[in-house]
Amino acid sequence: MADRVHPTPPPPPPDAATATETTPLQEQHPSFNRPPAPAPGTYIIQIPKDQVLRVPPPDRARRYAKLAARPARRRRLRRACCLASAALLLLILLFTAFAGAVYLVFRPRAPAFSAFSVSSLSITNLTLSSSSSSPAIVVADVRADNTRNRKAGIEYRGGGEVTVAYAGAVLAAGPWPAFRQPPRNVTVFAASMAGKDVALTEEQRRQLGREEAARAVPMTVEATVPVRVRLGKVLRTWTVDVRATCHVEVDRMDGTPAAVTDRGCRVRVKPLWWWW
């Protein structure tokens, strides 16, 4: 037969004398030091530790509120900057898409070297005497060509100027007329220029006389015109100055329209993307 295991009886509880006795280790450990019991008639209120730390002392409440508001202001500022940047980027993208669509529809082209030419030039009152001044009256027939643009017109605005010079000395100057040029159009107009007092040297007068006798007097016609491109009936580009320099030769200077030999024009204009 198997041996029986008898339960062990529990140890007897310590008596009151033994329970009240403390060991030296218990007296030294701080966890065994309990606070004294409160006096009769008092109440104990326990406050959570996190709540105590969140409430600043009265003398630091204003500074605490100021420091606590900084992260919120920074977050609002960052959010406002992000929204402004996103809105600006969206506007740039929309404008780029709109400009690209308009360009694909109208295919505008800025005035090129073939946009201007001088067909005739009339010079009167240009004397070759030994006087100190040589006033002149010049009328130039200028040809403006816009056949390169099939759907875009050109506006020549007021404020332009045309000058005629010989050997670097300006003989006459006048305004460029303001007009609108439709697409696929060639316009010829007369630019009247009033003479200026020009002091030519003795060598320049002799050279001018020889060139007039040879019926080949070189002249320089320069124009500075404010121009903008018309896209349909509503759209306009910014106004951009177009500078054209044409080198010509005339066969006489007796006041009648002279035969002009155009030796080419140079047009200086900013790229078309600058016009927007």
Side-chain angles (χ1 to χ4, degrees):
M1 295 179 63
D3 295 336
R4 292 184 178 181
V5 179
H6 299 278
T8 304
D15 53 359
T18 307
T20 56
E21 295 180 358
T22 58
T23 62
L25 180 61
Q26 292 176 342
E27 293 178 355
Q28 296 177 0
H29 200 278
S31 60
F32 293 96
N33 297 330
R34 296 181 179 179
T42 59
Y43 297 93
I44 298 176
I45 301 176
Q46 295 183 355
I47 301 177
K49 184 178 180 180
D50 57 349
Q51 184 176 355
V52 174
L53 295 177
R54 290 177 183 177
V55 178
D59 56 340
R60 298 294 181 90
R62 182 177 300 177
R63 179 173 178 81
Y64 175 80
K66 183 177 180 181
L67 294 177
R70 285 185 177 179
R73 288 199 301 267
R74 291 177 181 175
R75 286 194 298 269
R76 290 194 297 266
L77 181 60
R78 286 196 296 265
R79 188 181 301 110
C81 292
C82 292
L83 291 177
S85 301
L88 180 60
L89 181 61
L90 180 60
L91 289 178
I92 293 175
L93 292 177
L94 291 177
F95 178 79
T96 304
F98 175 76
V102 171
Y103 179 81
L104 292 177
V105 171
F106 291 95
R107 298 283 183 175
R109 294 184 179 181
F113 67 94
S114 60
F116 306 103
S117 60
V118 180
S119 57
S120 67
L121 195 66
S122 175
I123 304 175
T124 57
N125 296 335
L126 182 61
T127 60
L128 300 178
S129 62
S130 60
S131 60
S132 59
S133 62
S134 300
I137 298 176
V138 181
V139 177
D141 291 337
V142 181
R143 181 178 182 270
D145 190 346
N146 190 35
T147 56
R148 298 175 70 244
N149 285 311
R150 297 183 178 182
K151 296 182 180 180
I154 295 180
E155 286 188 3
Y156 296 95
R157 313 195 70 184
E161 185 183 26
V162 187
T163 60
V164 174
Y166 170 77
V170 178
L171 304 179
W176 181 288
F179 63 94
R180 295 179 180 179
Q181 190 174 21
R184 301 183 181 182
N185 176 264
V186 177
T187 302
V188 179
F189 60 92
S192 300
M193 290 161 276
K196 291 186 176 182
D197 293 336
V198 181
L200 297 178
T201 63
E202 187 67 25
E203 179 62 28
Q204 287 177 338
R205 283 192 289 268
R206 288 196 297 267
Q207 181 67 24
L208 182 60
R210 291 192 295 267
E211 292 169 345
E212 186 179 12
R215 306 179 67 85
V217 181
M219 296 285 179
T220 302
V221 181
E222 294 182 342
T224 302
V225 191
V227 175
R228 67 180 181 182
V229 178
R230 292 170 50 92
L231 305 175
K233 297 181 179 180
V234 179
L235 297 179
R236 307 287 189 276
T237 63
W238 298 107
T239 300
V240 178
D241 288 339
V242 176
R243 294 177 174 85
T245 303
C246 301
H247 299 281
V248 300
E249 288 184 354
V250 297
D251 59 347
R252 57 182 177 273
M253 297 182 298
D254 54 0
T256 59
V260 175
T261 302
D262 193 349
R263 296 189 299 177
C265 297
R266 184 183 62 180
V267 177
R268 290 171 293 175
V269 61
K270 293 181 179 179
L272 194 61
W273 57 265
W274 183 271
W275 297 42
W276 293 93

